[in-house]
Amino acid sequence: MRILCFGDSNTYGYIPDGSGRYSEDIRWTGLLQKKLASEATVIEEGLCGRTTVFQDELRAGRRGSELLPVLLESHYPLNLVTVMLGTNDCKTVYGASAEVIGKGVEQLINQIKQRAPQAKILLLSPILLGDDVWKPEYDPEFSRESVQVSKKLKDIYRRIAEKHNCLFLAASDVTDPSATDQEHLDEKGHERLADAIYEVVRKNLAVA
């Protein structure tokens, strides 16, 4: 079994204090691999700043819809593709509503269906942004409105998953952003997310 995990900095394993990247034995993708052992290969494709469809003019290659088709081909064959994006789409510069972000997610789902039709899709709505994330000491690329938009993604993503017959998990149901930066998973958050995703995989992909 081959599982492609497509996401942003919370799939990459960015450490909330900005000191680098968590090691494989802490990242949720690495923990998922350990739980699945020889039953699956977990392929990490997380990138800081990645969006669904928006281009970051300051950093190249952040538009998820631009790279996903390439990854689907280079990692073929795939049994499952997990998608956890949307946090960066909430940034003020994009001015996107939760509904517009949902349309970007649908583009990604359609790309997977077209290029990896044999693969199941697990759509994850991301963790919420912390209420103070927009303050100067955290990440002023976000605003108060960004926080409200992030809170609306869960219901929109759930409806999208139902519409496209995808598996669904709300990361915000199982963990929260670190108090350190109001935005990224800490070690415990990675552990909780890995446990939740493993249960979805176990129940839906014939894993012992």
Side-chain angles (χ1 to χ4, degrees):
M1 181 187 305
R2 290 170 59 79
I3 302 172
L4 174 65
C5 300
F6 188 64
D8 54 26
S9 52
N10 276 319
T11 298
Y12 170 87
Y14 183 87
I15 300 175
D17 65 9
S19 61
R21 185 184 191 185
Y22 282 126
S23 60
E24 289 183 3
D25 61 341
I26 294 176
R27 300 196 295 266
W28 70 260
T29 45
L31 295 175
L32 180 63
Q33 178 67 80
K34 184 176 180 179
K35 289 174 180 293
L36 292 169
S38 61
E39 293 190 78
T41 297
V42 176
I43 303 162
E44 298 179 310
E45 284 291 352
L47 180 67
C48 296
R50 178 176 282 152
T51 68
T52 58
V53 297
F54 300 110
Q55 180 60 54
D56 186 333
E57 297 302 330
L58 300 177
R59 292 186 289 181
R62 264 53 186 184
R63 181 185 291 160
S65 59
E66 190 171 47
L67 186 58
L68 181 56
V70 177
L71 297 176
L72 293 170
E73 183 174 348
S74 65
H75 292 301
Y76 178 89
L78 295 166
N79 302 93
L80 175 69
V81 180
T82 74
V83 177
M84 187 170 68
L85 288 172
T87 298
N88 292 300
D89 301 55
C90 295
K91 289 179 178 178
T92 307
V93 67
Y94 303 124
S97 66
E99 290 77 13
V100 168
I101 295 171
K103 290 181 180 180
V105 168
E106 286 197 85
Q107 283 196 28
L108 301 178
I109 290 173
N110 287 329
Q111 289 178 334
I112 297 168
K113 287 186 171 183
Q114 291 168 8
R115 292 168 173 81
Q118 75 288 346
K120 290 183 180 292
I121 301 170
L122 170 56
L123 179 60
L124 297 107
S125 59
I127 59 173
L128 303 182
L129 289 168
D131 288 336
D132 295 325
V133 69
W134 53 273
K135 292 183 177 180
E137 62 267 33
Y138 297 117
D139 192 344
E141 287 191 77
F142 296 103
S143 65
R144 288 186 177 93
E145 178 61 25
S146 300
V147 176
Q148 298 308 311
V149 171
S150 78
K151 292 179 179 179
K152 297 176 182 177
L153 295 180
K154 174 182 170 179
D155 289 340
I156 289 174
Y157 280 34
R158 180 190 287 112
R159 291 197 294 269
I160 291 171
E162 291 173 353
K163 174 182 175 181
H164 292 278
N165 195 29
C166 300
L167 303 172
F168 175 74
L169 175 67
S172 58
D173 281 352
V174 297
T175 192
D176 301 303
S178 166
T180 301
D181 74 350
Q182 304 272 308
E183 184 179 354
H184 294 99
L185 295 168
D186 59 16
E187 293 187 26
K188 193 64 178 179
H190 278 275
E191 182 180 347
R192 289 170 177 163
L193 186 58
D195 289 344
I197 293 175
Y198 172 73
E199 286 303 312
V200 175
V201 173
R202 185 181 64 81
K203 292 176 182 177
N204 292 278
L205 279 88
V207 173

